Amino acid sequence: MYSANFDYHRPSTLDEAIALLSRHGDDAKLLAGGHSLIPAMKLRLARPKIVVDIARITTLSYIREAGGRVAIGAMTTHQEVESSPLLRSKCPLLPETAAVIGDMQVRNKGTIGGSLAHADPAADYPAAILALDAEIEAAGPRGRRTIHAADFFVDLLQTALAPDEILVEIRVGATGPKVAYVKTEQKASGFALAGVAAVVGADAVRVGITGVAAKVYRAAAVEQALRGQASPKAEAIALAAMRAADGVEPLSDIHASAAFRAHLAQVNTRRALERALGR
Ligand code: FAD
């Protein structure tokens, strides 16, 4: 199926892109890697009148150290995240997560900014971004602002970004090696039926879960159960993991029932914690 008609703009600077979004409001949509927007347009689930292609804004594609953190430009592809030596040494959870997104074509074209802005409830990065307690930088006509990961994902396909804002950068802290991402995927697409990102730090455990509910979430009950335990034993991990779907309403669709998703959340939480602690 073909998309509805639209006008196409290809700005070469961030300011031009922001000006286009300001001028066209809800009629405009940014195009990054196109691997979520184009399918949605072909299915007529999205019908933007104006498409603003930001692929040529080269200043949005980088991975670098900044003030003790690692800063990632929004247009950085999944493949670049997966293969980055800096991320592999400072924040290995992101390369591990990027490596299991879709297939090679998706990873070569899809961008971290596009994935986060799209906020698909089964996308992989959001779980990692929550577990990493990352910061997200948005730029718009009113200037720049920082949004904490915990405030970014609002609902199914909805984020804290305003329609005239562009996600420009993601910043993550160094973690050490005790991290893991474990997902059970929907076989045709690779999207998560339940994907669990775990970060085990010296003073806290953080767990982000995607694919299970209408929006990605931090498994607060799991984190609470493991509070104060730097090296929890297998039994404590198993008990904590049983609480992975506490307080959420699991999705049910043709790919998995709610009960199965809740079960996968528990199993993958245990596996992610065990894998992280074993590193
Ligand atoms: P686009 O499709 O270009 O944009 C997506 C949305 O975000 C649009 O609404 C756009 O306007 C908005 N947007 C884009 N960039 C910005 C920005 N910088 N600021 C504000 N808004 C912006 N994802 C997974 O996580 N796991 C998978 O296993 C997986 N499998 C896939 C399999 C297939 C076959 C396909 C086609 C996709 C799959 N995806 C998967 C999705 C893929 O990762 C997409 O690339 C990603 O979700 C969107 O990134 P994009 O750069 O392609 O964004």
Side-chain angles (χ1 to χ4, degrees), residues 127 130-131 196-199 205-209 217-220 222-223 269 273:
L130 274 189
V196 179
V199 175
V205 171
R206 292 194 300 269
V207 176
I209 301 187
Y217 63 95
R218 282 268 294 271
V222 177
E223 296 179 3
T269 297
L273 287 166

Side-chain angles (χ1 to χ4, degrees), residues 29-39 54 74 78 100-103 106 109-111 113-115 117-118 122-125 161 165-168 183 189-192:
K29 271 269 174 210
L30 294 173
L31 176 69
H35 270 54
S36 292
L37 182 62
I38 300 292
I54 54 174
H78 309 332
V100 295
I101 295 177
D103 54 30
V106 173
K109 289 299 289 179
T111 66
S115 176
H118 191 56
D124 295 296
Y125 279 135
L161 291 170
E165 282 184 314
I166 299 180
L167 192 168
V168 289
K183 79 166 163 177
S189 68
F191 276 107

Side-chain angles (χ1 to χ4, degrees), residues 239-261:
L239 272 176
M242 293 300 289
R243 310 193 59 188
D246 280 14
V248 302
E249 203 174 314
L251 297 169
S252 181
D253 57 24
I254 56 164
H255 303 304
S257 66
F260 187 45
R261 276 195 166 83

